[in-house]
């Protein structure tokens, strides 16, 4: 009934946000496995009908959906894990198709961000979550329609990166009482995302907090200078700031 209104402004509108939030409530409030099966089916239909809401414009809806689906990938019910994994694979495939079979950059970025958040919020990373990652890889390997494109390789790369973040986080937990080792691990993780500024910023901010907590204020300041450099470089490339500013050039060069 409201399809035209939902598609206004490339699906970036108030009504779309309200409909999306209603879908999300079903995942945020505890449901039975039987009810969740129907919720996942509804979400597949929703994403299939309005891909622009997730893969174009602001990334808020994409990020929120990735977060909630990943939470379900860690669910105690095996059937829910499988359904969530299938929905996540479908979501990534839709992203690939929306980008004319070029990449899944948006879902990749938002999923890694969601994993980083969930590590703190829900403690994911155990056998249940690893089982879901294996299911997603199996879907990629068995998808005959995607056999001759680079989509399966992108899915494998994403699941590999998720496992890297989980392993690094587990190491950090082991060294949480050794601040120097902890920061060293964070720095390695930040550098591994040198090509993804938004994720690199996330880990640099985490490093800054650890330094500040330990009283190492000059080290914390250096982290924030690196973050400023990332933002300045982005604004410079977008033509949003003047490149002849001495202070901006110093910040950019420090990166």
């Amino acid at each position: 009934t409201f399809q035209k209104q939902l598609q206004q402004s490339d699906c970036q509108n108030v009504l779309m946000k309200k409909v999306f939030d209603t879908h999300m409530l079903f995942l945020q409030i505890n449901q039975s496995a039987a009810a969740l099966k129907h919720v996942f089916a509804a979400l597949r239909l929703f994403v299939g009908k309005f891909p622009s809401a997730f893969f174009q414009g602001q990334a808020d809806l994409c990020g929120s959906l990735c977060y909630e689906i990943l939470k379900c990938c860690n669910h105690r019910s095996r059937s829910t894990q499988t359904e969530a994994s299938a929905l996540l694979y479908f979501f990534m495939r839709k992203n690939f198709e929306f980008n004319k079979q070029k990449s899944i950059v948006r879902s990749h970025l938002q999923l890694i961000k969601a994993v980083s958040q969930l590590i703190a919020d829900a403690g994911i990373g155990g056998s249940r979550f690893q089982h879901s990652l294996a299911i997603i890889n199996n879907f990629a390997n068995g998808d005959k329609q995607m056999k001759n494109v680079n989509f399966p390789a992108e899915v494998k790369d994403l699941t590999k990166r998720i496992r890297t973040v989980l392993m690094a986080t587990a190491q950090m937990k082991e060294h949480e009482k050794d601040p120097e080792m902890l920061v060293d691990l964070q720095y390695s993780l930040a550098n591994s995302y040198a090509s993804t500024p938004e994720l690199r910023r996330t880990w640099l901010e985490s490093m800054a907090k650890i330094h500040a907590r330990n009283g190492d204020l000059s080290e914390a300041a250096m982290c924030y200078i690196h973050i400023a450099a990332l933002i300045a470089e982005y604004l410079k490339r977008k033509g949003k700031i003047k490149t002849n500013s001495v202070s901006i050039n110093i910040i950019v060069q420090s990166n």
Side-chain angles (χ1 to χ4, degrees), residues 149-163:
V149 293
N150 67 333
F151 178 66
E154 291 213 25
V155 173
K156 287 176 188 174
D157 178 60
L158 173 58
T159 54
K160 184 180 177 182
R161 282 183 177 272
I162 290 173
R163 286 194 174 100

Side-chain angles (χ1 to χ4, degrees), residues 7 10-12 16 45-57 62 91 94-95 97-98 106:
Q7 288 176 328
D10 291 323
C11 297
Q12 308 293 314
M16 174 58 75
L45 183 64
F46 189 62
V47 172
K49 205 160 204 169
F50 304 105
S52 297
F54 302 96
F55 309 126
Q56 194 167 298
C62 181
F91 186 72
K94 278 293 171 188
N95 187 183
E97 290 169 354
F98 187 83
R106 172 162 289 194

Side-chain angles (χ1 to χ4, degrees), residues 117-128:
Q117 286 177 284
L118 279 165
I119 286 166
D121 298 346
I124 62 167
S127 58
R128 290 188 300 213

